[in-house]
Amino acid sequence: LVDVIWDDQPAPPQAPFTAYADTLAGESHASKRARLTAKHETGVTVLTLPDSIAWLLNIRGTDIDRNPVPQSFALLYHDGQVDLFARAGKAAAIKDHLGPDVRICEGDLILALNDLDGQVRIDPKSCPVQIANALTRADIVHQTDPCILPKAVKNPTEIAGARAAHLRDASAMVRFLTWLDATAPQGGLTEIDVVMQLETYRRETNQLRDISFETICGAGPNGAIVHYRVSEATNRAVNTGELLLVDSGGQYLDGTTDITRTLAVGTPPPDTAACYTRVLQGMIAISIARFPKGVAGNHLDALARTPLWAAGLDYDHGTGHGVGAYLSVHEGPQGISRRATTPLEPGMILSNEPGYYRNGAFGIRIENLITVIDAPTLAGADVRTMFSFETLTWVPFDRRLIDVQILTQTERDWIDTYHAATLAKIGPLVEGDVLAWLQTACLPLDIK
């Protein structure tokens, strides 16, 4: 109905789809199609999510800002063949990549659906009503999009790509933090200035395809707005004696990043160090967690909140979301929250981002990305499958905001080990003033 009244509707995106190399995907689309249809002897599955189609066929697009996905629909047949429905000309450049078993269809999707009979599988959580209504001759079966879970469980090639992307992104972040530390206390910066400078450093890697979402940059009380997006109307000065929350990420061919750091501009405001440290304790608790196979994110969420709960504090968002492999920065079904019921599996990438927000005063969030791995075997432990997390993000925390007296020895050791690893990994990628800043930022906690 909106099309009837939308007089100035812009034209559809015209940029062509692109092939995503097997060397980056880690598996050919033929292998993926065969794997997803191995148990089907008949029928067809309707795929309506752009990121599912992008993953299945190893293709990407620029149709949606910040998300490298192609706007399309697909029919996945029981024998692994696919009909890919796209606007005229959009898929022409990837015809050879797709091969003979993937037919490019530029005709009317609804008419094609009208002709389908037999068993047709749709995901009621994501399938548009118009598509379901068009299946007039079909025996409709409800099932979860078959790409969702395989897409979430990254293969070794995708994990290796994520590691490389995070090192590259961290070098840009460290350059940014060096600049911010030197510039912000002098005054004159605004939130928009900070956003633009950070994106400049990412683009100077010469490998950034796009940012992965609109950067959240909240100075002072704006940091307490969880999903704040700066505009010309809200643009606030970055003042000394306040906190600055910066949540950002990049899209690279080999991975998607998402990182949040909260920083003191000059002398930290009273009470912020204690709050920051409790948020950091929660992030560490997730980082070092060991858990048996079958555990989901809803079982782990409280670990991140316990240090805050002990002080009568909390936050009103999930602790973590899934992240794609050069796909959507928010990806399901994995997550760390009270609603995340999908068991975690090795290869899943998640964010780890507890926070604390005091309305009208400041906001604190600290975020690393992590991936699920098989946990090392412990002497004397039960014989059962255990998982843990590998950290992917390597950027220092603001030592000025860490109250060492609150930390346990385990937490102090984790921070020092993390900073030592950060210096070892990122130090060779930077030089000069940036390297000097990084060396200071990564000093052990007992060195002032």
Side-chain angles (χ1 to χ4, degrees), residues 48-63:
T48 63
L49 294 177
D51 55 333
S52 289
I53 298 168
W55 174 85
L56 177 65
L57 299 180
N58 288 348
I59 61 177
R60 297 295 188 267
T62 58
D63 292 339

Side-chain angles (χ1 to χ4, degrees), residues 47 68 70 148 175 178 231 262 272 329 346 433:
L47 301 177
I148 294 291
R175 291 180 65 201
T178 302
S231 66
T262 302
T272 54
V329 74
D433 292 344

